[in-house]
Amino acid sequence: MGKDSGPGSRPGPGPGTSVDAISSERLGLRLRELRLRSGKSLRALARELGISASAVSQIELGAMRPSVSRLIAYVSALDVPLAAVFDTDEPEAPAEERGFAIRRSWEVDPILLDGGVTFRRLSPAPTSDVEFFESVYPPGAISNAHGQFLKHDGYEVGTVTQGELTIEFGADTDAETVTLAAGDSITYPCRRPHIIGNRSQSVTAVATWLIIHR
């Protein structure tokens, strides 16, 4: 059965689905656009990320999907929010003109990352200093397959809505691991090194995240 294309007729992506996910090629093209706009060369970005220029090129060509950690490190190095990956250059009517902003579930495709993790923007429009996302971690998926801890700017507030997620905090003196079940919430400064993963081998984990920049 074909998809209906009329407004209100297309169902939004449900938890755990990768249907209509942004392709590697489209994601890579958007990352390249953001890099060029920043004025940063491919080699300069590679040095900041600690990977080869060839690896950056493969990501931008869509030949390699970045992990969650790599994607966040990528946009952080370009000094743009994660939401910029979902944005397009198409003009939008300012929310102030209507007094509110709305975006239907079918209007923002999720991003499919390495390991099958998907990220979907939940905020209907760019919001200053705040980002709102849903993440879906299939069984056994982690935010960084290379085991490197992530650090970035801001504070993170997360709530698990399905399954369980484990967050490892790495530091010389206060390393700690916490497991969050459905309904559990957490907040922490993003500068604290962390890795997020789903240790279940059978249950998909879903969570919503609020990233506050200040």
Side-chain angles (χ1 to χ4, degrees):
M1 182 180 295
K3 291 182 181 178
D4 294 329
S5 58
S9 61
R10 176 181 168 192
T17 182
S18 60
V19 176
D20 292 326
I22 293 174
S23 67
S24 296
E25 292 78 10
R26 183 175 157 196
L27 173 59
L29 177 61
R30 181 58 179 164
L31 291 174
R32 183 174 183 273
E33 289 174 349
L34 293 171
R35 177 178 61 78
L36 292 175
R37 188 176 300 172
S38 75
K40 190 162 293 187
S41 71
L42 188 147
R43 291 185 180 278
L45 178 59
R47 284 195 297 270
E48 288 191 43
L49 297 179
I51 60 178
S52 68
S54 175
V56 173
S57 179
Q58 286 183 304
I59 290 173
E60 293 187 353
L61 290 172
M64 178 189 299
R65 289 188 187 274
S67 64
V68 175
S69 296
R70 176 94 2 113
L71 178 63
I72 294 175
Y74 203 111
V75 296
S76 296
L78 299 180
D79 196 28
V80 297
L82 180 59
V85 176
F86 296 87
D87 293 336
T88 67
D89 294 326
E90 298 175 1
E92 296 182 356
E96 292 79 4
E97 292 182 6
R98 301 177 65 185
F100 64 90
I102 186 170
R103 185 168 299 209
R104 303 300 182 182
S105 60
W106 62 81
E107 293 180 316
V108 178
D109 296 328
I111 291 177
L112 178 60
L113 300 170
D114 185 45
V117 178
T118 60
F119 262 57
R120 184 165 64 97
R121 193 178 80 177
L122 297 180
S123 50
T127 49
S128 178
D129 299 327
V130 176
E131 300 182 87
F132 190 32
F133 296 95
E134 177 189 74
S135 66
V136 178
Y137 281 73
I142 60 175
S143 58
N144 194 335
H146 303 290
Q148 296 176 336
F149 288 87
L150 172 68
K151 295 190 298 181
H152 54 102
D153 293 330
Y155 276 79
E156 205 150 26
V157 182
T159 299
V160 175
T161 59
Q162 176 183 307
E164 290 186 348
L165 279 179
T166 297
I167 303 179
E168 297 179 52
F169 294 105
D172 294 335
T173 58
D174 60 349
E176 190 172 4
T177 299
V178 296
T179 298
L180 304 174
D184 293 344
S185 300
I186 191 171
T187 183
Y188 54 88
C190 302
R191 297 302 299 174
R192 186 175 183 185
H194 57 281
I195 294 178
I196 300 173
N198 178 8
R199 294 186 175 182
S200 172
Q201 296 305 306
S202 59
V203 179
T204 295
V206 183
T208 58
W209 300 96
L210 192 65
I211 303 174
I212 303 170
H213 301 281
R214 61 179 186 179

